[in-house]
């Protein structure tokens, strides 16, 4: 199921019905409520932490918090806003992930990329390594996001990649719309400046190309051919899910670079159903709602 934030016919009333049923003890209703919001939470978490296992752990933490705090929702705001504000706060205050610790800013990340050697692919390798090249591209660009500080990163993920409008984004982060736009502008500039110096996808004068780096990424363990992290198990490209243009860019080059971050998978993991079912059967969590 595509996350509700992308649904043109999303109805708040559907969430409210499920909440009422869950509070009356319906495990099925609680599972359906979690499933409606799982994908968006996971996809934001993946771009926030880069590592899929860390992203799944963070998503599970949020869902547990949702279950334990659901009785505190009294309808003073929309449920989706209430939940996503909880998501934002939890993400910003969560422990640092493996890749967050490993990536120490743009300068350090650039030096690590420079250490990866170039390898020209022959025609046979270009054909056989297509998925590895795509995995390298998405992983490298997601790594760039981790060079931003947490607030910048989350604002960029919401405002640029998922096209959350500044009034909504501001409400989620409990800041003014003007401040949200300023943080987004700074994040865009920091990413653009780095990519303009390093990335051949944006600046053709840069020698770095995903196919030329892929074999080096494999040798360094950044890409694992038997366990690709970013090129499997997804429903759509984010660019396909966009309902409208992103916030206005300063020029066509910035629009192009923003589109590069949207050209990545939107994941719908089958594991979500198994994990959600496990949460609703947990003894302590069951007691919260007296689930049947």
């Amino acid at each position: 199921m595509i996350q509700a934030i992308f649904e043109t016919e999303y109805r708040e009333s559907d969430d409210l019905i499920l909440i009422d049923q869950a509070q009356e003890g319906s495990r099925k209703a609680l599972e359906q409520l979690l499933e409606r919001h799982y994908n968006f939470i996971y996809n934001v978490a993946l771009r926030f932490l880069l590592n899929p296992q860390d992203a799944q752990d963070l998503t599970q933490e949020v869902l547990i918090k949702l279950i334990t705090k659901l009785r505190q929702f009294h309808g003073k705001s929309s449920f989706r806003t209430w939940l996503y504000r909880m998501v934002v706060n939890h993400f910003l205050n969560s422990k640092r992930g493996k890749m967050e610790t490993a990536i120490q800013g743009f300068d350090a990340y650039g030096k690590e990329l420079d250490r990866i050697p170039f390898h020209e692919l022959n025609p046979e390798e270009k054909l056989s390594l297509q998925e590895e090249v795509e995995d390298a591209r998405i992983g490298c660009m997601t790594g760039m996001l981790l060079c931003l500080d947490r607030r910048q990163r989350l604002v960029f993920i919401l405002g640029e990649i998922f096209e959350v409008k500044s009034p909504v984004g501001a409400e989620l982060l409990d800041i003014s719309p003007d401040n949200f736009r300023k943080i987004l502008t700074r994040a865009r500039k920091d990413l653009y400046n780095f990519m303009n110096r390093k990335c051949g996808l944006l600046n053709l004068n840069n020698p770095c190309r995903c196919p030329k780096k892929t074999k080096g990424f494999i040798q360094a363990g950044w890409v694992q051919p038997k366990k690709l992290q970013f090129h499997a198990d997804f429903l759509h490209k984010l660019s396909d899910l966009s309902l409208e243009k992103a916030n206005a860019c300063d020029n066509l080059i910035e629009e192009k670079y923003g589109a590069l971050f949207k050209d990545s998978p939107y994941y719908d993991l089958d594991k979500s159903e198994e994990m959600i079912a496990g949460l609703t059967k947990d003894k302590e969590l069951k007691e919260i709602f007296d689930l049947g």
Side-chain angles (χ1 to χ4, degrees):
M1 178 187 297
I2 299 175
Q3 160 48 34
I5 199 169
F6 294 119
E7 294 176 3
T8 57
E9 297 182 359
Y10 170 78
R11 292 179 298 187
E12 171 81 4
S13 59
D14 292 342
D15 279 341
L16 299 180
I17 291 170
L18 292 173
I19 291 169
D20 287 342
Q21 292 174 347
Q23 291 179 341
E24 291 173 359
S26 170
R27 178 190 294 126
K28 181 179 180 181
L30 181 59
E31 290 179 353
Q32 288 177 346
L33 182 68
L34 300 181
E35 288 170 2
R36 279 171 63 81
H37 298 277
Y38 174 91
N39 286 334
F40 177 72
I41 297 170
Y42 174 78
N43 277 275
V44 173
L46 183 60
R47 286 155 183 84
F48 189 70
L49 293 177
L50 179 57
N51 180 275
Q53 185 57 57
D54 285 346
Q56 288 184 43
D57 291 344
L58 188 58
T59 301
Q60 179 169 308
E61 291 171 11
V62 171
L63 295 183
I64 291 173
K65 182 172 284 190
L66 167 60
I67 294 172
T68 59
K69 292 184 176 295
L70 189 57
R71 290 195 183 278
Q72 298 177 17
F73 174 70
H74 301 299
K76 294 180 180 179
S77 65
S78 75
F79 173 74
R80 188 166 53 173
T81 299
W82 179 83
L83 170 59
Y84 293 169
R85 188 184 292 121
M86 183 191 301
V87 170
V88 165
N89 289 333
H90 189 80
F91 280 20
L92 291 176
N93 294 300
S94 63
K95 67 179 182 180
R96 294 176 65 82
K98 299 181 184 70
M99 298 308 299
E100 274 191 300
T101 303
I103 296 177
Q104 298 291 326
F106 286 108
D107 289 341
Y109 189 57
K111 290 177 182 178
E112 286 297 318
L113 289 176
D114 290 341
R115 279 196 275 267
I116 300 295
F118 288 110
H119 294 280
E120 290 285 353
L121 301 182
N122 60 42
E124 183 178 335
E125 289 174 326
K126 288 181 180 178
L127 183 62
S128 64
L129 293 176
Q130 288 183 67
E131 291 190 350
E132 286 79 358
V133 170
E134 181 73 351
D135 199 71
R137 180 186 70 82
I138 297 169
C140 184
M141 293 193 65
T142 306
M144 296 176 196
L145 296 179
L146 268 68
C147 296
L148 299 169
D149 68 48
R150 279 191 156 191
R151 179 157 293 218
Q152 275 188 315
R153 191 188 320 154
L154 198 50
V155 167
F156 185 86
I157 292 168
L158 293 173
E160 182 66 39
I161 299 179
F162 288 95
E163 299 184 357
V164 173
K165 295 302 183 182
S166 57
V168 177
E171 187 174 5
L172 298 182
L173 278 88
D174 196 24
I175 57 178
S176 69
D178 184 58
N179 197 16
F180 183 89
R181 288 189 292 269
K182 287 179 180 178
I183 296 172
L184 179 56
T185 297
R186 177 61 184 271
R188 283 172 172 162
K189 287 182 177 178
D190 287 349
L191 284 165
Y192 171 77
N193 289 337
F194 177 78
M195 293 182 71
N196 194 45
R197 293 196 313 269
K198 291 289 184 182
C199 183
L201 290 171
L202 181 65
N203 185 343
L204 296 179
N205 292 322
N206 292 324
C208 192
R209 297 289 189 280
C210 303
K212 292 181 180 181
K213 286 285 190 179
T214 296
K215 290 180 73 173
F217 283 161
I218 293 173
Q219 292 169 1
W222 289 23
V223 172
Q224 302 177 45
K226 293 184 179 180
K227 193 178 180 182
L228 297 177
Q229 297 192 85
F230 301 104
H231 192 56
D233 301 323
F234 63 88
L235 277 179
H236 300 276
K237 287 292 184 74
L238 280 166
S239 53
D240 297 332
L241 289 172
S242 299
L243 293 180
E244 51 188 284
K245 288 278 188 180
N247 296 305
C249 296
D250 292 335
N251 53 53
L252 290 176
I253 298 228
E254 287 193 11
E255 184 173 335
K256 175 185 175 183
Y257 111 87
L260 291 172
F261 284 95
K262 295 187 185 75
D263 189 29
S264 60
Y266 182 80
Y267 295 87
D268 183 19
L269 299 186
D270 292 336
K271 294 179 182 178
S272 65
E273 293 185 6
E274 179 181 343
M275 186 264 281
I276 288 171
L279 288 179
T280 59
K281 292 176 183 177
D282 181 270
K283 182 179 180 181
E284 292 184 5
L285 296 178
K286 280 177 64 178
E287 290 176 353
I288 294 173
F289 290 110
D290 189 26
L291 296 175

